[in-house]
Amino acid sequence: MVIEQFGWLIPVFPLVAFLLIVGVTYRFKLLSAIVATFFAGLSLALSVLIMVQKVINPVTTEKFINWLSISTPTQTLLNIQLGYLMDPLAAVMSFIVTLVATLVLLYSIGYMKGDEGFSRYFAYISLFTFSMLGLVISNNYFQTFFFWELVGLCSYLLIGFWFFKPEAADASKKAFITNRWADFGFLVGIIGLFTVFGTFNFGQLATQIPQYQNALILLGLGLLVFLGPVGKSAQFPFHVWLPDAMEGPTPISALIHAATMVAAGIYLVARGYALFYSVENVMQVIAYVGGFTALFAATIALVQKDIKRILAFSTLSQLGYMMMALGVGSMTSGMFHLTTHAFFKALLFLGAGSIIHAVHNQDIFKMGGLAKKMPISSWTFVIGSLALCGIFPLAGFWSKDEILTVTLQHHFVGLFVLGTLVAFLTAFYMFRLIFIALFGQKRSDHHAHESPWTMTLPLIILAVFSIFAGLVNTPWFYQWTGFSFSTLVYFHEPEIPVIHWSIAGLSTVAALLGIFTAWMIYARRLISADMLATKMSFLHRVLSNKYYIDELYAWLFKYVMLGLGKVLDFVDHVVIDGLFDGTAGAIRATGVRLRLFQTGRLQQYALLIFVAVAILVLWGVR
Amino acid sequence: MIGLTHYLIVAAALFCIGAYGVVVKKNAIAVMMGLEFMLNAININLVAFNHFLHPNLVLGQVFAMFIVGIAAAEVALGLAIILSLYRQRHSIAVDEMDILKW
Amino acid sequence: MSLLSYIILTPFIGAAMLVLIPEKQTTFIKLVSALFAFIGLALSFYLFLNYDKSLGGMQFVENIPWIKAFAINYKLGADGLSVSMALLTGIIWFAGVLVTWNLQERVKEFFIYMLILVGGVFGVFLSLDLLVLFIFLEIAVIPKFILIHIWGSGKKEYSAMKYTLYLLAGSAFSLIALILIYIHSSTLDVTQLALITYSVPFQKFIFFLLLIGFGVIVPLWPLHRWTPDGHSSAPTAISMLLAGVIMKLGGYALIRVGIGVFPAGAAFWAPLIAVIAVVNCIYIALVAMVQKDLKYVVANSSISHMGYVLIGIAAMNTISLTGAASQMFAHGIMAALFFALVGAIYNKTHTRMLADFGGLAFQMPRAATLFLITGLASLGLPGFFNFVAEFLIFAGAFKVYPVLTTVTILAVVITAIYVLRVVQQMFFGPRNPKWDSLTDLKGIELVPLVFLAVILLWFGLVPSSITNLINQGIDPIVAQIGGAL
């Protein structure tokens, strides 16, 4: 139990690394990398220790200090805590974050070699890790928001890492501002929660919310707070930033897509589950937003050509899955999928990074035949893809099966069908990518070669996790060890894992069908892809352009917001200034007229004086 | 018998002549002369009032003497100004001295 | 003489000393100004540390009869609110002197006027007699006309005149209020005024006059138009003082006199203030978004940020008023930092037009970093004091005006949009050879910038070190409201 008392050190280590790099080692590039990786490793070690503790004794530890309070002489009005909350949920999450962060840092040593901003890069990642971990161990909404925003800042810094690329600068701004729109709702929601319940603390809210009667207010608050995760986890309609976020260095995409940024949204929904769970309508909204995003993003991924873009849309789709699981009422399955997804999505992105590093291109139609040149990168990529598709017995199989099961159990038949369809689409687009990029002929003049060990080692580690991580939520594992994921991370009641073979079989068939279709089209070329594209040219165009949502937003911004700004600027300059300058002008004009009385002619003045005196005298006489 | 009214009529006439001169004459010296007319009209009034209303006092006469003194000073000053103006502008026309405006 | 008198006198003594120094010895003049600024900063910091939080209330009170026949006294005193505002003034004064280090033109006069201005500001924050406060307010306002008119840039004559006319017109309203208050109660001592009960119609009328009089300074829409031109035309240090402290005079006076003495009047007009606050925040933020001149963006953002203060004042509860005062402090530092940076960059690039910039992060990485930090503080990123202040305002105001507060929070998003657009336009993008001859900020240029940024970060991470103080200053004022309603 002693070790748990020091759990708050988990985020502190990366912070120390950040400060050290900025303050001391900025000029020594390799040293910066080592510092960052070392401190992330320390956090990882501590997280592992704490997770083991939590498995043995799953209790909740909460500590806090008062950070800010506002009071009258007689009572405290507002009290904000700086807190540390460690339960199995936080333990699992901090393990994922530190593991992926450490591997990404290690990988980046090779990937970022020779970059001018090497130290800056490692400083940012350390700050990013710190922010995410601060969010994970937070015990109240305020602190969560605090770190939530810092996570957003770090994503801004990292996506725009190559600030000289206009696309990167645009993408980073887009990510931050899209998230800001969502955070607006989150912030209002938090303040609303405080106004209604007088506290930000998760635990206190969890006990107070079920007793609160006004369902309408809870609905509003739930939806407002949910806006935050919609933005961070890139759910429709705030999804636009995530595909563009790949303008940053590829390891950053791995970090953002797997562990730090988008996971924060899912994590928050799980953390604040008491609020969402209390109103059925909010849960339905979460479920349908998730389900819709899953399908929506999967269809876009079908036609993309950029390897990172395909992966980005696949992340969107999988995040939709997680939201759906949370929405139908199973926190366990949502978090479980987040966990397994973290491993294989980090693997896929790092693998993609390794490929891009070798080929210097991101277009899958310019790759081809990589499996022979870079076996480790390619085969770990295939493992990641199989896990993502949900092929038995890899990690994705167990978590996806779990989600589809709970969806059906909670009578969301539509979402179940949708989920199965998404499984098919996922398998199709992932293997489209694999058949085009990794196998077949070389499609351009590239000289690919395997990456150095600092890059392949993380791939192998992640591949191992992608294969075996799913087992922690199987009945066999439970029988063997006496615990499983679902007995640790749960809402209300722990569950003992069961497998529904019929559902599992159905989703596996869907996935295999997807792989088979991809094989038919892109490996055997029995059906021509171009022919399909021309036959359904409208659909193809809409999908290629991501349903024109970015265009819609750009239009709204340009013509509505900037237009309004111009109108108001006009009001400022012409109407208000006109009014005030007009007043000044009128006074001035009066003066201009009146001054004509002052002719400078002595005799006129004299005459005026005489006339005036005469009038006064006559008036007086009267 | 010549009473107060007669004096006042003379004074008023003198004052009006003076005022007319001040307002109308172009020559600055003529304007000054107009001023003198007006001052003297007032002197007549003062002396006449004193004589008819308070024969035992000399208040009006004293005032009249003061005005004569001040008028002398004023004429000296005025003539000096007119002289220096003439040196500058070679003219003593009052309507040309209108730069002190706006 | 108490500490407060020393604080107020420091700049005036400094100005008198400068008069005696020959005009040619510019370095000596600057050194003397810096010395006095440092003394002022040290004294206000000493005040900040020595204010006894366990006692609270007005401390360091000093009461010297001035016009005995009219019962007008030179009365000074400081509570948590004044102490924090005095500290703000000290900080910005010191930073302002440092950013003016490279001034060449008419150095002596510049610093003399600047010192007089600072003395006036200190006087407003620390005096407890309305007439004294009013006189100090005018002392703070007038030198600025000369400072903008002579050392300004752009259409400086127009801006200086506009600024002066707006503020003097406002003063006319507050002067009327002052006279009416005096006729009614035969004293202008704020602490005594607070004890008197006024009829509600009287309170409504007086508060309305004060709202216009002090509202011009805040500035309150639609009386805000002096701000963009004034800020943009003023020289850097003066923009810093203008946005950093002068605008706060209005908010301070509204809280101290408006709410503290006429709570029922304030309660009557509060909904109007709240609506205007929303207009300030959203409308001006949208206007800031389409500006082409960097300084106009920053100037408009100042007005927009003061909108938060207004809604905090309108909500009239402890949390929101503490937030409003904190926001005055936070925004004061942030705006000063922003203007200092803009000035420093302008000194190198000689342009303020956004379209001319681009890729500057290559040549001036430190400037870029500092600018980003300032921008982030301005858009309310956690970690900076601005976030704490805004959060408190929103948390307090939401109880009273849920809808209006929600709309106000939208301004946070719009702020993010225009700040990040500016950052991108100025610093990001491909390397521009046009800037290759420029050197990055260094040495004395960096000192005031880092100084201000560190203060924002410090209070952002340890906010209770100042919010507790402000909280204590706000308590009696809120107690007044409780008594009146």
Side-chain angles (χ1 to χ4, degrees), chain A residues 67-68 70-71 77 142 146 149 153 163-164 170 173 176 180-181 184 191 195 569 571-572 577 580-581, chain C residues 158 162 166 224-225 283 291 376 379 382 391 394 398-399 406 412 420 424 429-430 460-461 467 471 475:
Chain A
W67 186 65
L68 175 64
I70 302 294
S71 55
L77 298 172
F142 180 87
F146 192 103
E149 289 293 297
L153 164 70
F163 56 84
F164 44 85
D170 280 337
K173 191 180 66 179
F176 195 89
R180 266 267 146 164
W181 282 108
F184 155 70
I191 289 173
T195 309
D569 193 39
V571 172
D572 251 13
D577 265 3
F580 284 85
D581 286 1
Chain C
Y158 171 76
K162 197 172 182 179
Y166 267 79
H224 66 287
R225 283 298 298 164
Y283 170 127
Q291 297 303 313
L376 293 171
L379 60 81
F391 190 86
F394 298 149
F398 193 81
K399 284 179 194 170
T406 307
V412 174
L420 294 186
Q424 185 187 5
L461 297 175
T467 48
N471 190 178
D475 274 339

Side-chain angles (χ1 to χ4, degrees), chain A residues 595-607 610, chain B residues 19 22-25 31 38 94-95 97-98 100-102:
Chain A
R595 76 178 183 184
L596 294 180
F597 281 96
Q598 193 182 0
T599 55
R601 297 189 178 216
L602 204 57
Q603 289 168 313
Q604 276 185 14
Y605 298 164
L607 186 61
F610 289 139
Chain B
V22 167
V23 175
V24 174
K25 292 304 258 185
V31 173
M38 288 160 74
V94 183
D95 54 353
M97 302 178 205
D98 62 351
L100 196 67
K101 64 180 175 183
W102 301 344

Side-chain angles (χ1 to χ4, degrees), chain C residues 105-106 109 113 144-153 156 160 235:
Chain C
E105 183 197 359
R106 303 173 83 165
E109 289 96 325
Y113 287 125
K144 197 136 268 181
F145 172 77
I146 301 159
L147 285 162
I148 297 176
H149 203 284
I150 294 178
W151 290 273
S153 60
K156 53 187 184 178

